[in-house]
Amino acid sequence: MSLSDKDKAAVKALWAKISPKADDIGAEALGRMLTVYPQTKTYFAHWADLSPGSGPVKKHGKVIMGAVGDAVSKIDDLVGGLASLSELHASKLRVDPANFKILAHNVIVVIGMLFPGDFPPEVHMSVDKFFQNLALALSEKYR
Amino acid sequence: MVVWTDQERAYIQDIFSKLNYEEAGPKALQRTLIVYPWTQRYFTSFGNLYNAEAIMSNSKVAAHGVVVLHGLDRAMKNMDDIKKTYAELSVLHSEKLHVDPDNFRLLADCLTIVIAATMGTSFTADVQAAWQKFLAVVVSALCRQYH
């Protein structure tokens, strides 16, 4: 399900609207993921505090959304653009790729929550496709 | 057997008490049919689903969205035995409608987003956790009679 020009335009337009709140979205989405899908906490056992709104969660939410923003700018070549991130996830982090879908769902819930007027079904579809392609690019180097 | 905390019960009752079934049901089904177009395969008798505008204005889609919400209402009213409450519905979806159970999850996710958009920040992480647990139980009950 590759990205059409229409999808790319929709994602870029939405990103322009939501990027000022990117840090908040990231922290909120990560906090929700850890709460709603407790199995994801297994990847963060080294953090002192895994509760929503905690220091580590906020910090890491910012990192994640920074990477999402970078992916938006590289939307025409996600595999090439995210090569080193993929390498990191494949060899060091080794996050099961099923979790990318889980995080994407939570980012989408937060976008829908904070920007309900900017997230009609067609935009939602393009964003869902974008995250799917992002996840694919991220798992490119896994095997 | 599913164990619900008092807090989870309260969160779920609260969501349903604030939900406008006539609005949320249609919105959730429309979103599913648009975001995951392959789900349209089950609704060929509903007429024009050709594009987003057609789906959003299709009265059969809207009516069916309401039916789905009322089905969920029944689960909410029988939270301690959703399995039994949904036994016939499960047979219906498997034997008659032949719905791939993965679609239940897609509709559940879209409904979650509709509710998040309606409730805004009062849809906290804990509320979302309770809500998604409820939907997971519903989906599991719907899958039970598949063979």
Side-chain angles (χ1 to χ4, degrees):
Chain A
M1 299 183 230
S2 54
L3 298 168
S4 66
D5 290 339
K6 193 169 169 221
D7 292 323
K8 292 180 189 177
V11 169
K12 285 183 176 161
L14 182 70
W15 183 253
K17 289 205 180 90
I18 71 176
S19 55
K21 293 205 111 185
D23 295 351
D24 291 334
I25 294 171
E28 190 61 49
L30 189 60
R32 270 159 203 275
M33 185 187 81
L34 296 167
T35 307
V36 181
Y37 303 86
Q39 71 272 19
T40 58
K41 292 198 279 193
T42 55
Y43 291 99
F44 304 101
H46 55 285
W47 284 356
D49 188 351
L50 283 155
S51 54
S54 72
V57 169
K58 275 176 146 159
K59 186 166 164 224
H60 200 62
K62 196 171 161 182
V63 166
I64 290 172
M65 287 312 276
V68 170
D70 187 50
V72 174
S73 72
K74 293 171 176 167
I75 203 167
D76 290 315
D77 180 18
L78 287 170
V79 172
L82 300 178
S84 54
L85 252 188
S86 181
E87 184 59 55
L88 175 74
H89 282 76
S91 56
K92 188 158 172 260
L93 304 177
R94 290 178 288 194
V95 175
D96 189 311
N99 294 288
F100 300 150
K101 218 189 260 193
I102 291 175
L103 180 55
H105 167 72
N106 285 289
V107 174
I108 283 172
V109 167
V110 173
I111 293 173
M113 216 175 78
L114 298 179
F115 300 89
D118 295 306
F119 204 57
E122 283 178 296
V123 173
H124 175 172
M125 186 197 67
S126 297
V127 170
D128 194 77
K129 281 174 79 175
F130 168 68
F131 280 127
Q132 204 180 61
N133 279 270
L134 208 171
L136 214 57
L138 219 47
S139 43
E140 179 67 24
K141 302 251 186 286
Y142 269 56
R143 54 179 177 170
Chain B
M1 216 198 78
V2 185
V3 178
W4 302 102
T5 64
D6 289 339
Q7 182 70 276
E8 285 169 340
R9 283 179 204 274
Y11 282 150
I12 290 157
Q13 314 283 0
D14 187 59
I15 290 173
F16 274 95
S17 72
K18 295 191 171 110
L19 213 50
N20 180 346
Y21 294 12
E22 270 72 46
E23 217 183 82
K27 276 185 175 163
L29 186 56
Q30 287 156 5
R31 197 166 278 259
T32 309
L33 295 170
I34 293 167
V35 178
Y36 307 105
W38 53 93
T39 57
Q40 293 166 24
R41 74 189 305 283
Y42 302 107
F43 302 99
T44 51
S45 66
F46 276 26
N48 186 4
L49 299 177
Y50 192 61
N51 52 36
E53 294 74 40
I55 290 169
M56 303 286 274
S57 56
N58 187 309
S59 58
K60 286 183 171 171
V61 170
H64 197 65
V66 178
V67 166
V68 169
L69 249 305
H70 283 290
L72 285 174
D73 177 270
R74 263 204 306 140
M76 181 265 299
K77 296 198 162 100
N78 293 278
M79 260 173 77
D80 290 306
D81 202 353
I82 295 176
K83 209 160 53 181
K84 189 156 148 230
T85 307
Y86 269 31
E88 278 170 29
L89 260 182
S90 180
V91 171
L92 173 77
H93 282 77
S94 162
E95 302 297 298
K96 187 161 175 256
L97 304 174
H98 306 291
V99 179
D100 177 343
D102 197 55
N103 293 278
F104 305 147
R105 191 184 52 80
L106 299 178
L107 178 54
D109 284 350
C110 284
L111 180 57
T112 300
I113 286 148
V114 166
I115 285 169
T118 314
M119 288 178 67
T121 48
S122 65
F123 190 63
T124 65
D126 287 336
V127 172
Q128 184 182 342
W131 175 247
Q132 291 203 205
K133 178 176 166 180
F134 170 74
L135 288 178
V137 173
V138 162
V139 169
S140 167
L142 265 176
C143 291
R144 278 211 108 233
Q145 304 301 330
Y146 277 66
H147 65 94

